Amino acid sequence: MTATSKRRTRPVLHAATVVALLAGSVYFTIELRKDEQAKAPAIQTIVDAPVAGKGGGEETAQKWERLKNPERSVLRDGKGGILATFTDGARTATLTGPSRTFTEPATTKTRVVTENWVRLMPETWRSGAEKEQWFQEWYNKYRGSEEDDLFAMAFQYGDQAPVKKDAEGVSYAGDASFGPINPNGSAGNDLRLEESDFYDYLGIPYTFRNGTTAKPEAMRARSMDCSGFIRTVFGYRARYPLMASDAGTGDGLPRTANGMARSKVGVSVIPLKGIGDDGRPTSIDVLQPGDLLFFKLDGRTGERLDHTGIYLGTDTDGHQIFISSREEADGPTIGDKGGTSRLDGNGYYAAALRSAKRL
């Protein structure tokens, strides 16, 4: 072998060695991640991607765009990717951030992998608000932040979720029940009682803005029905104003699914046209992660809408998924017990969807 041949061979050997080492590194990284996920709690959050829009000159190239149906402002990065969406009249904002995976192995194989982080702004959005100080301070704080958002909070009440306590020792998160056993019910027929709100779950009295003080019932401890779940996440945790009941005035979130759907709070992205089969929306493409969904499931409730949940987006199989507290699963779930948690197709919940709004 000539000297020239030797010089040519060495880089090739070095390159082969580097490739082999990288391949080994990737393999062990994947295997370690599999092992870590296997040991994780049943409901889990995995951060596995960089924050969008945080690199170098990307921030200087950011661009605001106005869109319609509904009226909203979209912030894009230098490559046209969406960094955030803000809807006129709503406090809910969707920011792009680190990727997370939400699962619930006890009841479903569904995996929701999302880069959406849904948060409440301190004020409702309006065109041009990006120039206002309150927004600039808020956005600078939460852009790329991994502080608990509405999705993280929602999954802190599902199957096997660990208990979390505040500085006063109140357990504000952890596996929640739907409600106590109904002595006159049976499996598939009102097995558990409704009417458990966030203060029942917490086990502490709560005074609303109108001065009404609600007291928890001992039998409802650690329980929240479907609307109680929404009020826990959006209200008690994220601090959206709450009403003591469906009655009264103000901009607070009412007590029941029907009250929420028919109230003036938020922005109606899928207007309520009726409770019958002809009231089912023909398209749900307008939905955005974090939207509240309203269903008509039970004919015994007359004209009332009787279930609500939070839209999560699409799962890894392309199905549109939501989370809600349900009697069959005995608490918040994305699972299939009592009906598949999909909005596409013609399943139990998909056929019962009637409206949606963005708080």
Side-chain angles (χ1 to χ4, degrees), residues 178 188 191-192 326-331 337-339 348-349:
F178 178 85
L191 176 64
R192 294 183 177 275
R326 303 172 211 167
E327 173 189 321
E328 296 83 0
D330 191 22
K337 197 171 183 179
Y348 181 62
Y349 287 104

Side-chain angles (χ1 to χ4, degrees), residues 20 104 113 123 205 242 261 269 271 280 282 318:
E104 188 183 331
V113 180
E123 297 186 26
L242 294 171
V269 292
R280 180 181 177 182
T282 56

Side-chain angles (χ1 to χ4, degrees), residues 177 179-181 183 192-194 196 200 216-223:
S177 170
I181 292 291
R192 294 183 177 275
L193 295 172
E194 295 184 342
S196 294
D200 291 306
E217 295 183 56
M219 70 174 184
R220 299 181 183 277
R222 312 303 289 169
S223 299

Side-chain angles (χ1 to χ4, degrees), residues 80-227:
I82 295 177
L83 296 177
T85 302
F86 310 93
T87 302
D88 291 9
R91 286 179 55 189
T92 303
T94 303
L95 311 182
T96 299
S99 177
R100 297 173 291 174
T101 301
F102 294 105
T103 66
E104 188 183 331
T107 59
T108 181
K109 294 181 179 179
T110 292
R111 290 168 52 85
V112 178
V113 180
T114 180
E115 294 181 352
N116 294 306
W117 292 66
V118 184
R119 302 187 182 280
L120 285 186
M121 297 180 289
E123 297 186 26
T124 55
W125 183 259
R126 50 194 171 274
S127 179
E130 66 271 15
K131 301 175 183 177
E132 299 178 18
Q133 184 175 354
W134 72 264
F135 170 73
Q136 293 174 4
E137 292 176 350
W138 178 86
Y139 186 65
N140 286 335
K141 177 181 179 180
Y142 288 108
R143 177 188 56 181
S145 170
E146 295 181 29
E147 180 179 322
D148 284 354
D149 70 331
L150 292 169
F151 281 7
M153 294 173 190
F155 278 84
Q156 289 171 5
Y157 300 94
D159 180 60
Q160 299 182 43
V163 173
K164 295 178 179 290
K165 294 185 178 182
D166 62 21
E168 298 180 355
V170 176
S171 299
Y172 66 88
D175 193 334
S177 170
F178 178 85
I181 292 291
N182 181 0
N184 300 314
S186 58
N189 186 27
D190 299 330
L191 176 64
R192 294 183 177 275
L193 295 172
E194 295 184 342
E195 301 184 5
S196 294
D197 206 353
F198 68 95
Y199 52 83
D200 291 306
Y201 175 87
L202 297 168
I204 58 174
Y206 186 88
T207 301
F208 293 89
R209 293 182 301 165
N210 66 356
T212 300
T213 297
K215 295 182 178 180
E217 295 183 56
M219 70 174 184
R220 299 181 183 277
R222 312 303 289 169
S223 299
M224 54 181 74
D225 62 15
C226 65
S227 52

Side-chain angles (χ1 to χ4, degrees), residues 220-242:
R220 299 181 183 277
R222 312 303 289 169
S223 299
M224 54 181 74
D225 62 15
C226 65
S227 52
F229 172 58
I230 301 300
R231 283 159 63 87
T232 300
V233 175
F234 279 84
Y236 187 76
R237 296 291 302 279
R239 298 306 181 189
Y240 193 91
L242 294 171

